[in-house]
Every structure is written in structure tokens, then in C-alpha cells.
Amino acid sequence: MKLVKSVHDVIWDEYKSYKEVKLYISKWHVVDVDWNKYSENFTIAYKENNEIDLLQTLHNMGGDIILRVAIDLGVDTPDFIPSIPTFKNELKSDYKTSYDTFISAYKKIESDPSLAIGLANSALESIIKEILKDERISSKVNGNETLYKLSIIILKEFNLTNEYFPRELKTIGSSLLAINQSIEKLRSDKTFFHGKTDDDYIIKDSIYSHFIVNTISTIGLFLNSYYKMLYPKHEVEMELEDDLPF
């Protein structure tokens, strides 16, 4: 119910007229006419004046359709992808380039799972590169590193691979590295980001893009939080002149 209301408000805010709203909704409406058999994926409802009843129409949609509409509009879906709203806020304030890339990935989760995974991978690469630009971090990158190589560097800088750490902490480091390596391999081997032939397996099911994008959100939040803990921002103290006239 809350998601439908949010989608409803965003659609009206974006399109502002019954005509534009109906045109947008029609893009999601699929009608199948086979001889005397008629079927549709949802029913478009109308008011007495023959204008679209958007709220009722959205309620007529199945959960999978309303979720895809929400993602297309950039509406947060915390019940389905819980870490993404927080991650988006973090990116927006600290990593502009990564934010734009991640939003593009988020909007493609349903319509193009392969592209969503590739873009999300790129967003995480960009975040790590930005963190490693900090002058207080000794390791530097040349710009050509992949997600796996960047992960090795930042985990070492964060000391998460220290052999003297408790086993549980070392497991976090090694698990992060394994996950990021797998995400990179998916991007390289199972998406269109690198040239593919008709015989190659390509991820086309959105259940995988949901999982990967949500995983990248969680990893990104952890790395950014850990970075802020180890390297807090400098606080600049303002010095006042003694001879100020007030």
C-alpha cells in the first residue's frame, strides 16, 4: 500500500496531466488478443469523466509490475532492496560520479539485468578509487585496476587481512574479496560489458540483478563507513582576530 502511494505521487509529480500519466501507464500495459480470447497484465481504471484513475490502476497491477514501475521511477523500495535507500543517500553526498552510475544501475534492475550488474560493479569500483585518493592512504591507483585488484588494495589499507586478527574479522576481509571477485567475474563473463557470442550465457533474470545490486549496496556502505571511522574528515578551526570591532 505504501509503495503504491509513493509511486502514485511520483507519477503525478513527474507527468502532471491525465494524458501524460496515461501514456506512461500504457507503456506497462500488455494486451494479448488471441481469436476470441482477451487478456491483459492489469486493468486500466477510469473515472466517470473518462480520465485515468491512477491510484486504482496501480492497485490493479501485480506486485512484480508495481515494483518494476517503482524502480523505473527511482522510488525507493526498502522492503525489497533494503540497503539501497541508505546507500543512495551516502553516494549523493560523497560520491557524485558513483551516484550517477549507481542510479543508472538501479533503474535497469528489471529492464536490463545484465547492464544493471555491470553498472553496479562500476559504481563500486568508483567508490573505492575515490576512497584511495585520500592523501592519508599510502596505496595509490593508476586508474586501470579492476574491482578485484581495488578490493585487495583497500582491504590491505583497512587492515582487514591482518593475520593476527581474530578469525571472524579475517573472515570478513576474505569474504568481501571473494564476493567482489565473483561480481567482477559475472560482469566480465555473464554480461554484455565484454563482447559475447550467441552461445555465451548472459544474465537475463532480474532476481540476479536484485541480488547483486543489493549486495554491492551493502558492501559499499560498509567500506564507506569503515573509511570514515579510520580517516575522519579534518575539522577546520576558525581563528578570530583580537582586534575585530565587535
Side-chain angles (χ1 to χ4, degrees), residues 56-76:
Q56 183 59 57
T57 298
L58 294 175
H59 278 293
N60 290 343
M61 293 180 177
D64 60 326
I65 302 174
I66 195 67
L67 178 60
R68 283 154 49 200
V69 173
I71 291 173
D72 181 64
L73 294 167
V75 176
D76 289 332

PDB file of all heavy atoms in Angstrom, residues 56-76:
ATOM      1  N   GLN A  56      -6.312   3.562  -8.546  1.00  0.00           N
ATOM      2  CA  GLN A  56      -6.947   2.256  -8.726  1.00  0.00           C
ATOM      3  C   GLN A  56      -6.178   1.408  -9.730  1.00  0.00           C
ATOM      4  O   GLN A  56      -6.019   0.202  -9.557  1.00  0.00           O
ATOM      5  CB  GLN A  56      -8.390   2.425  -9.189  1.00  0.00           C
ATOM      6  CG  GLN A  56      -9.154   1.119  -9.329  1.00  0.00           C
ATOM      7  CD  GLN A  56      -9.215   0.333  -8.032  1.00  0.00           C
ATOM      8  OE1 GLN A  56      -9.687   0.836  -7.025  1.00  0.00           O
ATOM      9  NE2 GLN A  56      -8.730  -0.899  -8.045  1.00  0.00           N
ATOM     10  N   THR A  57      -5.676   2.048 -10.791  1.00  0.00           N
ATOM     11  CA  THR A  57      -4.898   1.323 -11.800  1.00  0.00           C
ATOM     12  C   THR A  57      -3.647   0.706 -11.187  1.00  0.00           C
ATOM     13  O   THR A  57      -3.308  -0.452 -11.463  1.00  0.00           O
ATOM     14  CB  THR A  57      -4.505   2.260 -12.954  1.00  0.00           C
ATOM     15  OG1 THR A  57      -5.692   2.748 -13.591  1.00  0.00           O
ATOM     16  CG2 THR A  57      -3.647   1.529 -13.981  1.00  0.00           C
ATOM     17  N   LEU A  58      -2.960   1.460 -10.353  1.00  0.00           N
ATOM     18  CA  LEU A  58      -1.756   0.941  -9.694  1.00  0.00           C
ATOM     19  C   LEU A  58      -2.099  -0.225  -8.776  1.00  0.00           C
ATOM     20  O   LEU A  58      -1.345  -1.204  -8.690  1.00  0.00           O
ATOM     21  CB  LEU A  58      -1.062   2.052  -8.907  1.00  0.00           C
ATOM     22  CG  LEU A  58      -0.467   3.196  -9.740  1.00  0.00           C
ATOM     23  CD1 LEU A  58       0.082   4.294  -8.835  1.00  0.00           C
ATOM     24  CD2 LEU A  58       0.632   2.683 -10.664  1.00  0.00           C
ATOM     25  N   HIS A  59      -3.243  -0.136  -8.103  1.00  0.00           N
ATOM     26  CA  HIS A  59      -3.664  -1.250  -7.245  1.00  0.00           C
ATOM     27  C   HIS A  59      -4.053  -2.469  -8.067  1.00  0.00           C
ATOM     28  O   HIS A  59      -4.018  -3.599  -7.558  1.00  0.00           O
ATOM     29  CB  HIS A  59      -4.830  -0.819  -6.354  1.00  0.00           C
ATOM     30  CG  HIS A  59      -4.413  -0.068  -5.127  1.00  0.00           C
ATOM     31  ND1 HIS A  59      -3.699  -0.648  -4.108  1.00  0.00           N
ATOM     32  CD2 HIS A  59      -4.594   1.228  -4.774  1.00  0.00           C
ATOM     33  CE1 HIS A  59      -3.468   0.253  -3.154  1.00  0.00           C
ATOM     34  NE2 HIS A  59      -3.996   1.398  -3.542  1.00  0.00           N
ATOM     35  N   ASN A  60      -4.410  -2.252  -9.321  1.00  0.00           N
ATOM     36  CA  ASN A  60      -4.758  -3.380 -10.190  1.00  0.00           C
ATOM     37  C   ASN A  60      -3.521  -4.127 -10.689  1.00  0.00           C
ATOM     38  O   ASN A  60      -3.631  -5.238 -11.203  1.00  0.00           O
ATOM     39  CB  ASN A  60      -5.554  -2.887 -11.406  1.00  0.00           C
ATOM     40  CG  ASN A  60      -6.950  -2.405 -11.039  1.00  0.00           C
ATOM     41  OD1 ASN A  60      -7.459  -2.715  -9.957  1.00  0.00           O
ATOM     42  ND2 ASN A  60      -7.576  -1.646 -11.928  1.00  0.00           N
ATOM     43  N   MET A  61      -2.359  -3.508 -10.562  1.00  0.00           N
ATOM     44  CA  MET A  61      -1.113  -4.138 -11.021  1.00  0.00           C
ATOM     45  C   MET A  61      -0.665  -5.221 -10.050  1.00  0.00           C
ATOM     46  O   MET A  61      -0.862  -5.108  -8.832  1.00  0.00           O
ATOM     47  CB  MET A  61       0.009  -3.098 -11.129  1.00  0.00           C
ATOM     48  CG  MET A  61      -0.190  -2.066 -12.202  1.00  0.00           C
ATOM     49  SD  MET A  61       1.208  -0.898 -12.240  1.00  0.00           S
ATOM     50  CE  MET A  61       0.756   0.123 -13.639  1.00  0.00           C
ATOM     51  N   GLY A  62      -0.031  -6.247 -10.574  1.00  0.00           N
ATOM     52  CA  GLY A  62       0.584  -7.256  -9.721  1.00  0.00           C
ATOM     53  C   GLY A  62       1.813  -6.680  -9.029  1.00  0.00           C
ATOM     54  O   GLY A  62       2.362  -5.653  -9.453  1.00  0.00           O
ATOM     55  N   GLY A  63       2.237  -7.336  -7.971  1.00  0.00           N
ATOM     56  CA  GLY A  63       3.380  -6.843  -7.206  1.00  0.00           C
ATOM     57  C   GLY A  63       4.646  -6.708  -8.039  1.00  0.00           C
ATOM     58  O   GLY A  63       5.424  -5.772  -7.846  1.00  0.00           O
ATOM     59  N   ASP A  64       4.851  -7.639  -8.985  1.00  0.00           N
ATOM     60  CA  ASP A  64       6.058  -7.578  -9.802  1.00  0.00           C
ATOM     61  C   ASP A  64       6.045  -6.359 -10.716  1.00  0.00           C
ATOM     62  O   ASP A  64       7.082  -5.722 -10.942  1.00  0.00           O
ATOM     63  CB  ASP A  64       6.209  -8.855 -10.635  1.00  0.00           C
ATOM     64  CG  ASP A  64       5.027  -9.083 -11.571  1.00  0.00           C
ATOM     65  OD1 ASP A  64       3.890  -8.722 -11.186  1.00  0.00           O
ATOM     66  OD2 ASP A  64       5.232  -9.625 -12.670  1.00  0.00           O
ATOM     67  N   ILE A  65       4.862  -5.992 -11.222  1.00  0.00           N
ATOM     68  CA  ILE A  65       4.776  -4.836 -12.120  1.00  0.00           C
ATOM     69  C   ILE A  65       4.973  -3.544 -11.347  1.00  0.00           C
ATOM     70  O   ILE A  65       5.731  -2.665 -11.773  1.00  0.00           O
ATOM     71  CB  ILE A  65       3.424  -4.814 -12.853  1.00  0.00           C
ATOM     72  CG1 ILE A  65       3.216  -6.103 -13.638  1.00  0.00           C
ATOM     73  CG2 ILE A  65       3.351  -3.610 -13.798  1.00  0.00           C
ATOM     74  CD1 ILE A  65       1.846  -6.225 -14.280  1.00  0.00           C
ATOM     75  N   ILE A  66       4.314  -3.405 -10.206  1.00  0.00           N
ATOM     76  CA  ILE A  66       4.444  -2.164  -9.437  1.00  0.00           C
ATOM     77  C   ILE A  66       5.878  -1.973  -8.966  1.00  0.00           C
ATOM     78  O   ILE A  66       6.387  -0.848  -8.888  1.00  0.00           O
ATOM     79  CB  ILE A  66       3.451  -2.146  -8.241  1.00  0.00           C
ATOM     80  CG1 ILE A  66       3.321  -0.723  -7.674  1.00  0.00           C
ATOM     81  CG2 ILE A  66       3.862  -3.096  -7.142  1.00  0.00           C
ATOM     82  CD1 ILE A  66       2.669   0.242  -8.604  1.00  0.00           C
ATOM     83  N   LEU A  67       6.564  -3.073  -8.679  1.00  0.00           N
ATOM     84  CA  LEU A  67       7.968  -2.976  -8.281  1.00  0.00           C
ATOM     85  C   LEU A  67       8.819  -2.469  -9.435  1.00  0.00           C
ATOM     86  O   LEU A  67       9.679  -1.601  -9.263  1.00  0.00           O
ATOM     87  CB  LEU A  67       8.472  -4.344  -7.815  1.00  0.00           C
ATOM     88  CG  LEU A  67       9.951  -4.416  -7.414  1.00  0.00           C
ATOM     89  CD1 LEU A  67      10.258  -3.467  -6.266  1.00  0.00           C
ATOM     90  CD2 LEU A  67      10.336  -5.839  -7.037  1.00  0.00           C
ATOM     91  N   ARG A  68       8.571  -2.968 -10.637  1.00  0.00           N
ATOM     92  CA  ARG A  68       9.330  -2.527 -11.807  1.00  0.00           C
ATOM     93  C   ARG A  68       9.053  -1.063 -12.120  1.00  0.00           C
ATOM     94  O   ARG A  68       9.954  -0.313 -12.493  1.00  0.00           O
ATOM     95  CB  ARG A  68       9.000  -3.405 -13.007  1.00  0.00           C
ATOM     96  CG  ARG A  68       9.689  -4.760 -12.958  1.00  0.00           C
ATOM     97  CD  ARG A  68       8.968  -5.837 -13.722  1.00  0.00           C
ATOM     98  NE  ARG A  68       8.591  -5.424 -15.074  1.00  0.00           N
ATOM     99  CZ  ARG A  68       7.644  -6.021 -15.782  1.00  0.00           C
ATOM    100  NH1 ARG A  68       6.960  -7.034 -15.250  1.00  0.00           N
ATOM    101  NH2 ARG A  68       7.374  -5.626 -16.998  1.00  0.00           N
ATOM    102  N   VAL A  69       7.796  -0.641 -11.945  1.00  0.00           N
ATOM    103  CA  VAL A  69       7.441   0.762 -12.157  1.00  0.00           C
ATOM    104  C   VAL A  69       8.171   1.642 -11.129  1.00  0.00           C
ATOM    105  O   VAL A  69       8.710   2.696 -11.478  1.00  0.00           O
ATOM    106  CB  VAL A  69       5.915   0.963 -12.055  1.00  0.00           C
ATOM    107  CG1 VAL A  69       5.563   2.452 -12.102  1.00  0.00           C
ATOM    108  CG2 VAL A  69       5.203   0.233 -13.186  1.00  0.00           C
ATOM    109  N   ALA A  70       8.195   1.198  -9.886  1.00  0.00           N
ATOM    110  CA  ALA A  70       8.860   1.957  -8.835  1.00  0.00           C
ATOM    111  C   ALA A  70      10.339   2.129  -9.135  1.00  0.00           C
ATOM    112  O   ALA A  70      10.900   3.233  -8.995  1.00  0.00           O
ATOM    113  CB  ALA A  70       8.667   1.261  -7.480  1.00  0.00           C
ATOM    114  N   ILE A  71      10.979   1.061  -9.559  1.00  0.00           N
ATOM    115  CA  ILE A  71      12.403   1.126  -9.879  1.00  0.00           C
ATOM    116  C   ILE A  71      12.645   2.044 -11.067  1.00  0.00           C
ATOM    117  O   ILE A  71      13.577   2.847 -11.080  1.00  0.00           O
ATOM    118  CB  ILE A  71      12.955  -0.287 -10.148  1.00  0.00           C
ATOM    119  CG1 ILE A  71      12.961  -1.096  -8.848  1.00  0.00           C
ATOM    120  CG2 ILE A  71      14.350  -0.233 -10.749  1.00  0.00           C
ATOM    121  CD1 ILE A  71      13.317  -2.552  -9.031  1.00  0.00           C
ATOM    122  N   ASP A  72      11.767   1.962 -12.076  1.00  0.00           N
ATOM    123  CA  ASP A  72      11.897   2.815 -13.253  1.00  0.00           C
ATOM    124  C   ASP A  72      11.808   4.295 -12.877  1.00  0.00           C
ATOM    125  O   ASP A  72      12.498   5.144 -13.452  1.00  0.00           O
ATOM    126  CB  ASP A  72      10.812   2.471 -14.261  1.00  0.00           C
ATOM    127  CG  ASP A  72      10.897   3.299 -15.530  1.00  0.00           C
ATOM    128  OD1 ASP A  72      11.916   3.170 -16.251  1.00  0.00           O
ATOM    129  OD2 ASP A  72       9.967   4.074 -15.808  1.00  0.00           O
ATOM    130  N   LEU A  73      10.984   4.612 -11.881  1.00  0.00           N
ATOM    131  CA  LEU A  73      10.786   5.997 -11.459  1.00  0.00           C
ATOM    132  C   LEU A  73      11.797   6.445 -10.409  1.00  0.00           C
ATOM    133  O   LEU A  73      11.816   7.611 -10.026  1.00  0.00           O
ATOM    134  CB  LEU A  73       9.371   6.168 -10.894  1.00  0.00           C
ATOM    135  CG  LEU A  73       8.218   5.983 -11.889  1.00  0.00           C
ATOM    136  CD1 LEU A  73       6.904   5.853 -11.144  1.00  0.00           C
ATOM    137  CD2 LEU A  73       8.170   7.148 -12.865  1.00  0.00           C
ATOM    138  N   GLY A  74      12.618   5.515  -9.935  1.00  0.00           N
ATOM    139  CA  GLY A  74      13.591   5.857  -8.899  1.00  0.00           C
ATOM    140  C   GLY A  74      13.005   5.918  -7.510  1.00  0.00           C
ATOM    141  O   GLY A  74      13.579   6.526  -6.600  1.00  0.00           O
ATOM    142  N   VAL A  75      11.848   5.282  -7.319  1.00  0.00           N
ATOM    143  CA  VAL A  75      11.208   5.252  -5.998  1.00  0.00           C
ATOM    144  C   VAL A  75      11.904   4.206  -5.134  1.00  0.00           C
ATOM    145  O   VAL A  75      12.121   3.075  -5.578  1.00  0.00           O
ATOM    146  CB  VAL A  75       9.707   4.908  -6.121  1.00  0.00           C
ATOM    147  CG1 VAL A  75       9.067   4.783  -4.743  1.00  0.00           C
ATOM    148  CG2 VAL A  75       8.990   5.973  -6.943  1.00  0.00           C
ATOM    149  N   ASP A  76      12.258   4.580  -3.909  1.00  0.00           N
ATOM    150  CA  ASP A  76      12.917   3.635  -3.013  1.00  0.00           C
ATOM    151  C   ASP A  76      11.992   2.474  -2.680  1.00  0.00           C
ATOM    152  O   ASP A  76      10.791   2.663  -2.453  1.00  0.00           O
ATOM    153  CB  ASP A  76      13.346   4.327  -1.718  1.00  0.00           C
ATOM    154  CG  ASP A  76      14.513   5.274  -1.939  1.00  0.00           C
ATOM    155  OD1 ASP A  76      15.297   5.033  -2.875  1.00  0.00           O
ATOM    156  OD2 ASP A  76      14.640   6.258  -1.183  1.00  0.00           O
TER     157      ASP A  76
END
